[in-house]
């Protein structure tokens, strides 16, 4: 009995339980195999796509805008690193970022924004994923914001344009907008050249945002390009200082100065007043941003008289030693009067220029066909673009018509009836200094001598240059433009400003010239618009600024003053029969 009871205690195998367990294991294994087959064979692309959506990202590198430098490597425009502050409203709400408003108050204070306005930007739409709070903040401000640790507030790298020259070169260089796109000046004209293209790369990122694998190049980037200007920043600063002094002294509306290299056509300085600070964008005024040396036109007055003489010499209607009768100091042409300030009697060509005789120059102009005079003006660049290739350049206006009255022909000879820019006047005098060779104007530093066009015979250009020396000497109209040691071939100009129905009481005062006469290097035009007070003549208003700019620039370029022997040779050369 005991043995029988003991046997009953041994476990007995229950077959159906074993079958259930084994069946369940095989079912689980089969489902795993089926799922793996489904994932690997039937629908791998969809799942792979879902994985890629979580981990694949396209990143791009930041490309800095190209530098703008002067001919000597001095920085005129450079990009500096800044940060943009942006918010992810969804993250801000998810992280309960508004629980501590003291942090938001600190953020508003450092961004100089009302805290209510700042918070409203983020709270307004909780589903938004991006909104700018402030662009172009300094690295120091960005570091402070980072330490605030506000949920949903992030920083993004960007760049800001900085102009070391400030107002000195503002209209020439121009500015960029907040997205680093050029909108004025050289920044606008050469925007594509200065702007690089970022390269884009596909990467795989982990959950914490770190790159774990670099997969492919989506887009090859292009580096930005630098620009080297023909400008000499030293001469630019000098020209701006003297122009600003002149416009303030005579309470002028505006002014412009252009300095050209006689032998290449390169612009060494181009300045305007009033100017503005391109590093401070508050209260920008459009009239201060205009590059008046290119865009503004005016009647050039007596500054064109030397080219009337050149046209007549080339046409053969006058001889260089000829005397022109101007008594009694006025003449009637077609019912109108042309008058000089005094009766100068018989005048040589040189004396006509030195004394700026309207009667004498009118007789010279009337001695030749009007097309000869207009053709000379046009061949010197008037009525045409200079080749500088900057946005907004004006070509000026020279009328082309069949019939001209004698009085109109006379007024053409002393600078009325057509318009020109300060750049065009400087280019005309540069052509005179280069022996009659007209070069295209360049704002870029040139590597090679440009190809010019001979528009005036060299001997004629040389004769006219020597005739003009007396303008800045005793008895001339621009004694204040005299430069000791550097003989100047220049000419004053004073023109009334046209108004509806005639001419008003405002003037434009000009002086343009080349120096040194024995070895021409620079041509400069100075234009002072609407000077106030008793002094408004070109010799009084623009002449001193010309002298200071020219003498300083020649010394900066290490141009030697005239030697005693050269001075004697220049004085001995017959300027004209007196």
């Amino acid at each position: 009995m005991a043995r029988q009871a003991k046997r009953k205690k041994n476990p007995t195998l229950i077959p159906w339980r074993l079958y259930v367990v084994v069946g369940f294991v095989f079912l689980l294994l089969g489902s795993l195999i089926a799922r793996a087959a489904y994932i690997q064979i039937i629908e791998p692309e969809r799942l792979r796509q879902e994985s890629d959506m979580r981990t694949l990202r396209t990143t791009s590198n930041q490309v800095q805008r190209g530098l703008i430098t002067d001919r000597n490597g001095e920085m005129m425009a450079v990009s500096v690193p800044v940060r943009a502050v942006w918010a992810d409203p969804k993250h801000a709400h998810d992280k309960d970022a508004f629980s501590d408003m003291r942090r938001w108050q600190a953020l508003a204070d450092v961004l100089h924004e009302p805290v209510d306005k700042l918070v409203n930007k983020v709270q307004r739409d909780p589903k938004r994923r991006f909104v700018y709070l402030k662009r172009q903040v300094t690295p120091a401000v960005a570091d402070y914001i980072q330490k605030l640790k506000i949920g949903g507030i992030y920083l993004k790298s960007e760049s800001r344009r900085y102009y070391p020259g400030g107002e000195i070169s503002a209209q020439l260089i121009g500015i960029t907008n907040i997205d680093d796109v050029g909108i004025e000046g050289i920044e606008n004209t050469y925007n594509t050249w200065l702007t690089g293209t970022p390269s884009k790369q596909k990467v795989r990122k982990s959950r914490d945002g770190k790159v774990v694998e670099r997969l492919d190049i989506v887009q090859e980037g292009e580096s930005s390009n630098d620009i080297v200007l023909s400008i000499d920043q030293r001469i630019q600063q000098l020209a701006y200082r003297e122009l600003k002094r002149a416009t303030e002294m005579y309470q002028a509306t505006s002014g412009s100065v252009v300095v050209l290299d006689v032998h290449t056509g390169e612009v060494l300085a181009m300045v305007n007043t009033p100017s503005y600070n391109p590093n401070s964008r508050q209260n920008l005024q459009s009239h201060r941003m205009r590059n008046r040396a290119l865009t503004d036109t005016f009647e050039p007055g007596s500054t064109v008289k030397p080219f009337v003489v050149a046209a007549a010499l080339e046409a053969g209607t006058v001889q260089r030693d000829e005397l022109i009768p101007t008594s009694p100091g006025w003449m009637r042409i077609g019912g109108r009067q042309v008058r000089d300030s005094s009766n100068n009697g018989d005048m040589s060509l040189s004396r006509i220029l030195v004394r700026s005789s309207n009667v004498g120059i009118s007789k010279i102009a009337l001695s030749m066909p009007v097309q000869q005079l207009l053709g000379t003006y046009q061949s010197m660049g008037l009525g045409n673009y200079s080749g500088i290739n900057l946005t907004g350049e004006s070509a000026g206006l020279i009328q082309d018509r069949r019939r001209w009255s004698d009085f109109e022909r006379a007024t053409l000879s002393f600078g009325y009836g057509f318009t020109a820019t300060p750049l065009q006047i400087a280019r005309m005098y540069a052509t005179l200094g280069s022996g009659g060779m007209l070069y295209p104007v360049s704002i870029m530093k040139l590597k090679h001598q440009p190809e010019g066009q001979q528009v005036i015979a060299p001997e004629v250009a040389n004769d006219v240059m020597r005739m003009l020396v007396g303008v800045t000497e005793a008895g001339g109209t621009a004694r204040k433009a005299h430069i000791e040691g550097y003989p100047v071939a220049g000419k004053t100009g004073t023109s009334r400003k046209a108004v509806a129905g005639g001419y008003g009481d405002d003037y434009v005062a000009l002086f343009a010239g080349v120096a040194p006469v024995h070895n021409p290097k620079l041509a400069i035009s100075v234009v002072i618009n609407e000077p106030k007070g008793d002094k408004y003549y070109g010799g009084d208003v623009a002449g001193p600024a010309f002298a200071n700019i020219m003498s300083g620039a020649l010394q900066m370029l290490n141009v030697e003053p005239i030697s005693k022997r050269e001075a004697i040779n220049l004085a001995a050369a017959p300027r004209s029969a007196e």
Side-chain angles (χ1 to χ4, degrees):
M1 289 292 294
R3 187 179 294 174
Q4 195 173 16
K6 196 172 182 179
R7 277 198 202 105
K8 284 182 180 178
K9 288 180 181 178
N10 289 337
T12 58
L13 184 65
I14 305 174
W16 68 271
R17 288 183 177 178
L18 177 63
Y19 296 149
V20 170
V21 171
V22 172
F24 180 76
V25 169
F26 274 102
L27 182 63
L28 182 62
L29 182 62
S31 64
L32 289 174
I33 293 172
R35 180 63 180 167
Y38 178 81
I39 291 173
Q40 295 293 328
I41 299 171
I42 299 175
E43 271 200 3
E45 290 303 324
R46 184 178 67 83
L47 297 171
R48 190 178 292 123
Q49 183 181 2
E50 289 181 3
S51 172
D52 288 346
M53 287 175 66
R54 295 184 179 91
T55 60
L56 286 186
R57 297 290 183 269
T58 300
T59 63
S60 61
N61 64 330
Q62 186 179 2
V63 180
Q64 294 280 10
R65 191 173 176 85
L67 301 173
I68 300 177
T69 66
D70 82 338
R71 64 187 305 108
N72 301 313
E74 291 290 324
M75 295 294 178
M76 301 187 78
V78 59
S79 292
V80 294
V82 289
R83 308 291 289 278
V85 186
W86 64 280
D88 183 332
K90 186 175 184 303
H91 280 188
H93 283 81
D94 292 346
K95 295 180 179 181
D96 196 21
F98 304 101
S99 59
D100 187 358
M101 292 304 295
R102 293 175 303 170
R103 297 176 187 269
W104 286 92
Q105 184 62 57
L107 177 64
D109 290 342
V110 78
L111 295 182
H112 304 291
E113 294 278 352
V115 65
D116 295 340
K117 180 181 177 182
L118 207 63
V119 172
N120 183 53
K121 276 185 179 180
V122 184
Q123 282 186 330
R124 175 164 61 195
D125 187 356
K127 294 182 180 180
R128 286 186 72 178
R129 301 306 305 268
F130 184 92
V131 60
Y132 274 122
L133 299 183
K134 190 81 171 183
R135 303 286 300 275
Q136 298 186 347
V137 301
T138 63
V141 171
D143 290 343
Y144 177 81
I145 293 171
Q146 209 158 21
K147 291 173 183 176
L148 291 176
K149 295 182 178 178
I150 303 175
I153 303 299
Y154 303 100
L155 296 167
K156 176 184 173 185
S157 294
E158 57 182 10
S159 65
R160 180 182 179 180
R161 209 64 163 160
Y162 175 67
Y163 304 96
E167 64 183 43
I168 292 170
S169 308
Q171 296 98 344
L172 175 64
I173 302 300
I175 56 173
T176 59
N177 62 15
I178 200 166
D179 293 314
D180 225 17
V181 177
I183 56 175
E184 290 288 339
I186 287 171
E187 292 276 32
N188 175 36
T189 305
Y190 294 94
N191 183 66
T192 304
W193 179 261
L194 290 164
T195 306
T197 306
S199 59
K200 295 182 180 180
Q201 189 176 26
K202 187 178 287 187
V203 299
R204 195 177 297 279
K205 289 188 175 182
S206 59
R207 290 182 63 187
D208 57 2
K210 293 182 179 179
V211 176
V212 295
E213 186 181 5
R214 298 187 182 277
L215 300 173
D216 192 17
I217 300 292
V218 177
Q219 176 182 307
E220 289 285 353
E222 291 183 7
S223 299
S224 58
N225 301 285
D226 298 337
I227 285 180
V228 180
L229 299 181
S230 59
I231 297 294
D232 188 320
Q233 187 70 343
R234 302 169 301 168
I235 301 176
Q236 183 87 357
Q237 290 172 345
L238 170 64
Y240 182 73
R241 184 188 71 200
E242 294 300 328
L243 178 64
K244 190 173 183 181
R245 179 184 298 171
T247 51
E248 288 177 353
M249 182 181 296
Y250 296 102
Q251 301 177 351
T253 303
S254 61
S256 298
V257 171
V258 178
V259 182
L260 294 182
D261 186 312
V262 163
H263 300 295
T264 64
E266 291 174 298
V267 180
L268 300 184
M270 181 180 285
V271 296
N272 303 275
T273 56
S275 188
Y276 68 99
N277 183 1
N279 299 311
S280 177
R281 306 298 174 88
Q282 288 81 21
N283 303 318
L284 281 182
Q285 297 173 304
S286 59
H287 76 277
R288 291 177 175 267
M289 301 172 70
R290 192 166 74 244
N291 190 352
R292 297 172 183 272
L294 290 174
T295 62
D296 288 15
T297 61
F298 53 89
E299 291 177 305
S302 297
T303 55
V304 299
K305 287 179 179 176
F307 307 98
V308 179
V309 173
L313 288 173
E314 289 216 304
T317 58
V318 296
Q319 303 303 314
R320 69 179 308 276
D321 57 353
E322 188 171 336
L323 293 177
I324 307 294
T326 66
S327 293
W330 60 272
M331 62 185 292
R332 188 171 295 278
I333 307 176
R336 307 284 292 275
Q337 257 191 20
V338 174
R339 181 177 293 275
D340 287 340
S341 57
S342 61
N343 182 4
N344 294 293
D346 292 346
M347 304 179 76
S348 66
L349 301 185
S350 175
R351 188 161 176 75
I352 286 173
L353 296 178
V354 169
R355 300 296 299 167
S356 197
S357 168
N358 288 339
V359 174
I361 207 69
S362 295
K363 287 191 172 183
I364 294 173
L366 292 171
S367 72
M368 60 181 147
V370 66
Q371 294 305 325
Q372 175 75 27
L373 180 59
L374 292 174
T376 298
Y377 284 166
Q378 290 167 343
S379 69
M380 302 289 287
L382 293 184
N384 205 348
Y385 296 106
S386 65
I388 197 170
N389 294 326
L390 288 180
T391 305
E393 181 186 8
S394 173
L397 177 64
I398 292 185
Q399 295 182 8
D400 186 14
R401 49 185 176 173
R402 289 184 176 182
R403 294 182 133 188
W404 293 83
S405 70
D406 287 348
F407 183 75
E408 288 171 335
R409 291 168 61 190
T411 57
L412 284 174
S413 70
F414 47 86
Y416 286 90
F418 62 98
T419 61
T421 64
L423 175 61
Q424 289 175 328
I425 297 299
R427 190 187 186 198
M428 292 177 76
Y429 278 81
T431 303
L432 207 59
S434 64
M437 189 70 74
L438 180 73
Y439 293 107
V441 177
S442 175
I443 197 63
M444 300 297 165
K445 183 180 180 181
L446 300 177
K447 295 180 180 178
H448 307 289
Q449 176 76 17
E451 185 176 342
Q453 180 183 359
Q454 194 75 46
V455 294
I456 298 178
E459 59 275 11
V460 171
N462 188 54
D463 285 345
V464 175
M465 284 272 287
R466 278 167 165 69
M467 291 177 191
L468 288 171
V469 172
V471 172
T472 58
E473 296 179 349
T477 55
R479 187 70 181 85
K480 294 178 181 178
H482 178 77
I483 305 173
E484 196 61 42
Y486 296 104
V488 173
K491 187 71 188 72
T492 59
T494 308
S495 63
R496 281 182 179 269
K497 295 196 71 175
V499 296
Y503 289 90
D505 296 327
D506 291 322
Y507 291 86
V508 177
L510 310 97
F511 190 89
V514 185
V517 171
H518 64 286
N519 182 25
K521 294 293 184 184
L522 301 178
I524 299 178
S525 68
V526 180
V527 178
I528 308 295
N529 182 32
E530 298 179 3
K532 307 297 188 296
D534 295 334
K535 292 185 177 180
Y536 53 85
Y537 288 108
D540 293 325
V541 177
F546 170 90
N548 293 335
I549 297 167
M550 180 65 85
S551 60
L554 291 175
Q555 291 172 44
M556 288 173 183
L557 298 176
N558 296 318
V559 178
E560 293 185 1
I562 190 169
S563 66
K564 288 184 178 180
R565 177 176 293 180
E566 289 170 329
I568 292 170
N569 291 338
L570 183 62
R575 295 176 195 163
S576 66
E578 294 296 336

